Amino acid sequence: MNKFRFYFILPLLSIVLFSCSEDDDTEVTPPRDYDVQYPTDLDSIESYLKTHSFAVVDVDGRVDVEIDTFIVGNTEGKVSIWDNTDYPLKFKMVKNDNRSSNLVDGRVDDAVDYKMYYFVINEGGGQSATRFDSTYVSYRGWRLTNDQFDINNTPFWSTFPAISQGEQALISGFRQFTTLLKSAESINVGTDGVISYNNYGVGVVFLPSGIGYYNSSQFNIPAYSPLVFTVRLHAIQERDHDQDGILSKYENGAGVEDLHSVDTDGDNIPDFLDSDDDGDNVRTYLEIKNPVTGKPYAFEDIPTCPGGTVKKHLDATCQ
Ligand SMILES: [Ca+2]
Ligand SMILES: [Ca+2]
Ligand SMILES: [Ca+2]
């Protein structure tokens, strides 16, 4: 019985890549300090938001936007992204959650609170995902110069951290934006085999480079480029990374957002990747088994140890 078994088959997530970019990384410049780069990026993004307008368009059945330049003081009746009231600009403060490893201490050293601007075109009629669920997404990406660097119209699955080898990873800001959308309300397969996603979530997000590729240049993306994406969330799947019978989203201790920081037994392996959360040498999936049914308790029904205050799989004083 080796509690490390599952952990070591997980690929270590060091840099986040889109499929077409992986082989095109030609240059890595010495990294600037995140807090030095960020104000420049924020200024560039806010300037873009105030000098561009957009229209929502349908491209072969996919929702997207068409960006137009906007001259301050214009007489053409255009409305900047900044001032648009049909699709109001919003922001969320987020952290850079990139990692050098999936151990508790593997988090990138970046203290910046990033302002992630976005607007929602359609919220979506299905479910929302946590950062740790699998998402089925399609996208188009461009730089603040309006140069498109990538487009992926065919949805693909992605999970953080990756669950299977070869699974595509997403950059930090993109991944965090998908949690603000909902999946499709329904999925239809036509008689011609064409799949359609009805009432899916779609929006546009503006990412400072720290939650993009940062100093790692990619095909058509110079180092330190803020990025813009149209993101469509077609479907989601809840995950149980360590397959211990507890969904990853429930392995968050006292509701903390960063699952990588929750480590009940202090062995540097976060609970959601640790098959023995409390380090008592009895695997979690055995500790949460209902002795009557032989099946795992529903999460809310997992009992505490006698006199205990936390669920028994998190308490080494009983099994
Ligand atoms: Ca689990
Ligand atoms: Ca642990
Ligand atoms: Ca245990």
Side-chain angles (χ1 to χ4, degrees):
M1 189 138 65
N2 180 356
K3 68 182 293 190
F4 295 93
R5 179 186 60 86
F6 182 77
Y7 173 72
F8 282 116
I9 65 169
L10 284 171
L12 297 184
L13 184 72
S14 55
I15 194 93
V16 281
L17 296 163
F18 287 114
S19 57
C20 72
S21 307
E22 191 161 5
D23 297 324
D24 303 316
D25 188 354
T26 54
E27 177 192 348
V28 175
T29 51
R32 297 172 190 156
D33 287 343
Y34 288 105
D35 59 352
V36 171
Q37 179 62 29
Y38 174 59
T40 304
D41 288 355
L42 184 63
D43 188 56
S44 302
I45 288 170
E46 292 187 341
S47 160
Y48 183 91
L49 296 169
K50 291 170 182 172
T51 55
H52 291 78
S53 63
F54 70 95
V56 174
V57 292
D58 181 296
V59 183
D60 298 330
R62 293 181 300 277
V63 177
D64 208 331
V65 290
E66 205 168 78
I67 297 287
D68 195 7
T69 54
F70 170 93
I71 308 301
V72 174
N74 84 100
T75 56
E76 298 176 55
K78 295 177 185 172
V79 179
S80 68
I81 303 170
W82 187 263
D83 288 326
N84 195 303
T85 51
D86 291 337
Y87 302 98
L89 185 66
K90 301 175 182 175
F91 69 85
K92 183 180 182 189
M93 302 307 296
V94 299
K95 290 284 193 181
N96 176 358
D97 64 1
N98 284 327
R99 312 190 62 83
S100 59
S101 84
N102 283 310
L103 297 173
V104 176
D105 61 6
R107 186 165 186 153
V108 70
D109 186 15
D110 180 356
V112 171
D113 288 310
Y114 289 95
K115 196 169 194 175
M116 182 173 76
Y117 282 106
Y118 68 95
F119 61 85
V120 173
I121 299 170
N122 186 52
E123 185 185 19
Q127 285 180 281
S128 56
T130 71
R131 283 192 297 135
F132 300 91
D133 293 322
S134 295
T135 55
Y136 196 53
V137 293
S138 66
Y139 67 87
R140 187 173 69 86
W142 64 98
R143 288 155 47 202
L144 297 183
T145 54
N146 290 330
D147 293 309
Q148 179 176 304
F149 58 81
D150 198 6
I151 183 166
N152 199 333
N153 292 332
T154 305
F156 59 92
W157 283 105
S158 174
T159 315
F160 176 68
I163 280 190
S164 57
Q165 295 283 357
E167 189 174 17
Q168 292 195 59
L170 298 169
I171 49 176
S172 175
F174 187 117
R175 191 171 58 240
Q176 297 190 65
F177 177 56
T178 61
T179 68
L180 303 176
L181 298 172
K182 290 179 180 169
S183 60
E185 184 175 338
S186 61
I187 300 174
N188 292 340
V189 182
T191 50
D192 53 2
V194 174
I195 300 171
S196 60
Y197 302 90
N198 307 309
N199 191 17
Y200 57 82
V202 55
V204 175
V205 66
F206 305 84
L207 303 179
S209 63
I211 50 175
Y213 291 105
Y214 204 52
N215 65 311
S216 172
S217 61
Q218 308 289 318
F219 182 64
N220 284 338
I221 307 176
Y224 305 108
S225 294
L227 305 174
V228 191
F229 287 96
T230 299
V231 178
R232 305 179 201 90
L233 179 60
H234 301 274
I236 74 162
Q237 187 181 353
E238 294 182 320
R239 302 311 306 221
D240 174 6
H241 280 79
D242 55 7
Q243 297 175 299
D244 64 358
I246 298 175
L247 288 173
S248 295
K249 67 176 184 179
Y250 292 135
E251 302 220 41
N252 66 344
V256 302
E257 201 172 319
D258 181 11
L259 292 187
H260 280 99
S261 70
V262 180
D263 179 18
T264 297
D265 60 3
D267 65 355
N268 205 21
I269 301 173
D271 281 11
F272 83 111
L273 301 175
D274 192 337
S275 58
D276 176 12
D277 293 332
D278 55 6
D280 61 0
N281 294 319
V282 179
R283 289 193 173 199
T284 298
Y285 84 92
L286 291 172
E287 294 198 78
I288 65 168
K289 195 181 277 187
N290 182 328
V292 177
T293 65
K295 294 177 180 173
Y297 286 107
F299 178 73
E300 58 274 17
D301 295 334
I302 298 172
T304 61
C305 294
T309 55
V310 295
K311 295 182 186 301
K312 60 189 290 192
H313 67 290
L314 300 177
D315 188 340
T317 64
C318 77
Q319 285 87 39

